[in-house]
Amino acid sequence: MADRLYARLTLIVATCLASGLYAETGEQIADRLCAGCHGEFGRSETRGIPSIGGFSEYAIIDLLDTYRHGFRKARTVTLDDGSENDMQQVTDALSVEEIEAVAFYYSEQEWRPHPQPFDAELARRGAAIHSRKCGKCHPKGGSVADADHALLAGQWRDYLARELRNFTSGERRMADKMKKNFDTLSEADKDALLELWVSAGKY
């Protein structure tokens, strides 16, 4: 009897979800699809996966759109249960309304930089480079959510280093304005910028 009742309730919930009568909240979507990689409240515990809690709503939507429109290649991630997932699968599973809901949820979270070792001398050099080349779009060392771009200050080193390599190789596309500045950076400049971002402004 209990099994039949459970089956009926499951069918009712599934029908409501499919018909749009019951809509998940942004938090529920985040818990179901995002937390396995990006951590609770969007604070990643995996060095190669970015924290996103505290990004602006627009920044999250823009991030997801880069996958939806093929501007960025998804990387396969193996989850704790052994299953695999990637951002392309996640974005393909979301409606526009669900993307807006999850983006709002993450925008309401607190950005908490990851404390990591860094080279203070290089970070100071990076601050000067960032001010000239990156500061217009990523003010205050990449720490301002309202700038509507990814937060860089205090992000995981491993993630930032990989994305710098991807930008350099062309694997990850850039807006024309960003590419114009990025192409003027030497490898030493990129190393300095990385130390600045990892320092979270505490150099």
Side-chain angles (χ1 to χ4, degrees), residues 16-17 20-26 28-29 98:
C16 289
L17 285 171
L21 295 176
Y22 171 77
E24 285 184 291
T25 65
Q28 289 170 328
I29 296 167
E98 288 171 329

Side-chain angles (χ1 to χ4, degrees), residues 27-49:
E27 182 176 5
Q28 289 170 328
I29 296 167
D31 287 345
R32 178 167 60 86
L33 291 177
C34 313
C37 291
H38 293 285
E40 188 177 15
F41 308 119
R43 192 170 194 269
S44 168
E45 297 300 328
T46 304
R47 294 176 181 272
I49 296 176

Side-chain angles (χ1 to χ4, degrees), residues 68-169:
R68 283 165 61 87
H69 300 305
F71 298 144
R72 187 172 176 185
K73 184 179 178 181
R75 182 172 60 92
T76 300
V77 175
T78 302
L79 304 178
D80 291 340
D81 63 4
S83 64
E84 293 185 339
N85 203 355
D86 63 56
M87 286 299 299
Q88 192 66 58
Q89 293 182 53
V90 172
T91 54
D92 287 348
L94 293 171
S95 68
V96 172
E97 293 77 16
E98 288 171 329
I99 285 176
E100 291 172 351
V102 80
F104 178 75
Y105 167 73
Y106 279 126
S107 73
E108 292 291 290
Q109 306 311 308
E110 178 187 4
W111 173 255
R112 293 188 292 147
H114 295 283
Q116 301 166 84
F118 62 91
D119 183 315
E121 183 177 348
L122 266 183
R124 285 190 288 272
R125 179 169 179 266
I129 297 167
H130 182 99
S131 179
R132 296 195 310 272
K133 301 292 186 177
C134 317
K136 188 172 182 179
C137 294
H138 298 277
K140 296 186 179 179
S143 64
V144 180
D146 287 344
D148 287 336
H149 292 286
L151 290 169
L152 303 172
Q155 186 62 270
W156 282 123
R157 174 188 292 276
D158 290 3
Y159 170 75
L160 291 170
R162 186 181 70 241
E163 294 310 299
L164 281 172
R165 292 193 298 270
N166 289 343
F167 282 130
T168 299
S169 69

